Amino acid sequence: MTDLPNFDDVTAAARRIDGHAHRTPVLTSRTINDELGAQVFFKCENLQRVGAFKFRGAFNALSKFSAAQRRAGVVAFSSGNHAQAIALSARMLDMPATIVMPQDAPAAKVAATRGYGGQVIFFDRYTQDREQIGRDLAEKHGMTLIPSYDHPDVIAGQGTAAKELFEEIGTLDALFVCLGGGGLLGGSALSARALSPETKLYGAEPEAGNDGQRSFRSGAIVHIDTPQTIADGAQTQHLGNYTFPIIRRDVDDVLTATDAQLVECMRFFATRMKLIVEPTGCLGLAAARTMKDQLRGQRVGVIVSGGNVDVDQFCALLARSAPTASKNPS
């Protein structure tokens, strides 16, 4: 296999995306600091272009295309955020983009992908293999396939978010990063080990789809059926051949969160920080909350991966879990 990406690749990616990707803000909350007894720093990639960190890796990968590759175009498969990132990056770099998306992808993500100029092809995520569909399209039309996480240029681009976080606030005792296929966690690991080597690095994935946790602890990639979870950005079935060895080498542990915990975090972000965060973007905070006792007195980072969620779904999830009003208010 080709050599794994390293921190030099992350710094090169940072140069490529400079002026194209947003340098997203790092926000804090007194409420969550008091709850955890820690200083918590949120890297808000929900405020990134296309509403998610995925723009970083997509633009970095596509900006390295040759002239021939740009003429033929790019193909990708994604539940939504990578789809939007590829479509927008392709438009900015003047190349065609075809995106393979699940037919139950959030309507807002589909609309945005099309709005950025991407041609969308739907598939059934529970019965069809999106990776094979992508490979077939690439072979048939001469396009270049850029997977959503298992690609060295994508991983390097995603690592720029953690790089910016460390550059802005310094070293951390712990960093929590959501985990689907491992692009963001793998890239974050490259930056953490270079810039803050003592940081404890934790991946966070849905409890219903803990293939990453099982892979990490067993030492071999575990494949699962598509998990049933509201965290659609983490409905992956396995880690990648690039992401797994980085995670296995550099990550301290992989934790999980239930859908109910994710909704609680969505409520917190909306009500206390005035942020719209999608369920997948809440995985890091949800995992940090499960480690409250261990984090007391520490400096903690959380990468908020994205904010692309249908408004109707967002409202329904919060309404369904709304706390019961007191019968005797005072």
Side-chain angles (χ1 to χ4, degrees):
M1 191 185 78
T2 303
D3 291 342
L4 298 176
N6 55 44
F7 185 64
D8 287 342
D9 297 310
V10 178
T11 58
R15 290 192 295 269
R16 290 188 198 97
I17 71 173
D18 184 37
H20 302 287
H22 297 321
R23 190 176 181 97
T24 52
V26 178
L27 302 182
T28 59
S29 163
R30 183 178 298 176
T31 300
I32 207 70
N33 286 351
D34 290 344
E35 177 186 330
L36 299 185
Q39 287 182 283
V40 183
F41 303 91
F42 295 100
K43 178 64 169 170
C44 294
E45 287 295 291
N46 56 311
L47 302 178
Q48 184 54 261
R49 297 190 77 155
V50 309
F53 73 96
K54 293 284 191 178
F55 179 78
R56 297 173 179 272
F59 192 88
N60 183 53
L62 269 59
S63 67
K64 295 180 68 177
F65 275 23
S66 67
Q69 285 178 302
R70 292 191 184 195
R71 285 193 296 272
V74 60
V75 61
F77 44 82
S78 167
S79 63
N81 287 339
H82 181 62
Q84 295 173 76
I86 289 289
L88 176 57
S89 297
R91 188 179 75 180
M92 293 170 65
L93 294 166
D94 194 26
M95 69 179 81
T98 299
I99 315 295
V100 180
M101 299 186 72
Q103 59 192 20
D104 60 347
K109 295 182 178 182
V110 175
T113 301
R114 286 173 166 159
Y116 292 132
Q119 177 188 359
V120 174
I121 296 177
F122 289 112
F123 77 102
D124 185 333
R125 74 165 87 220
Y126 299 104
T127 62
Q128 293 179 284
D129 183 348
R130 66 178 190 171
E131 297 181 23
Q132 187 59 53
I133 295 172
R135 287 192 294 267
D136 290 345
L137 286 168
E139 182 177 354
K140 180 178 180 181
H141 300 290
M143 297 182 288
T144 300
L145 175 64
I146 298 295
S148 56
Y149 57 87
D150 203 32
H151 190 288
D153 295 332
V154 170
I155 295 167
Q158 317 307 26
T160 61
K163 178 177 181 291
E164 291 175 4
L165 175 62
F166 288 118
E167 289 172 344
E168 181 166 341
I169 56 93
T171 59
L172 293 168
D173 296 298
L175 176 62
F176 292 83
V177 182
C178 73
L179 173 59
L184 181 60
L185 181 56
S188 298
L190 299 179
S191 292
R193 294 301 163 242
L195 301 176
S196 184
E198 300 304 315
T199 297
K200 295 290 186 181
L201 181 58
Y202 300 97
E205 64 184 347
E207 183 180 77
N210 70 332
D211 62 291
Q213 183 183 67
R214 291 162 60 188
S215 300
F216 178 80
R217 296 180 181 179
S218 70
I221 296 177
V222 173
H223 293 248
I224 63 171
D225 293 333
T226 301
Q228 298 279 355
T229 173
I230 62 172
D232 65 284
Q235 282 184 299
T236 48
Q237 296 176 298
H238 57 84
L239 299 179
N241 292 324
Y242 287 97
T243 59
F244 174 67
I246 298 172
I247 291 169
R248 180 71 174 167
R249 181 190 68 196
D250 293 336
V251 171
D252 289 278
D253 202 1
V254 176
L255 311 173
T256 64
T258 65
D259 280 1
Q261 290 171 323
L262 297 182
V263 174
E264 290 174 8
C265 292
M266 291 172 65
R267 180 180 300 283
F268 162 77
F269 280 123
T271 58
R272 304 313 296 259
M273 296 185 71
K274 315 310 174 191
L275 294 173
I276 301 298
V277 180
E278 63 185 279
T280 306
C282 293
L283 281 164
L285 175 57
R289 280 175 151 176
T290 69
M291 292 187 62
K292 177 179 178 179
D293 293 340
Q294 297 97 309
L295 298 177
R296 189 166 300 279
Q298 296 190 358
R299 287 168 52 85
V300 178
V302 175
I303 296 185
V304 181
S305 61
N308 292 319
V309 57
D310 286 334
V311 174
D312 289 346
Q313 181 199 23
F314 183 84
C315 293
L317 287 171
L318 296 194
R320 191 170 65 195
S321 65
T324 304
S326 170
K327 294 181 179 180
N328 299 297
S330 58

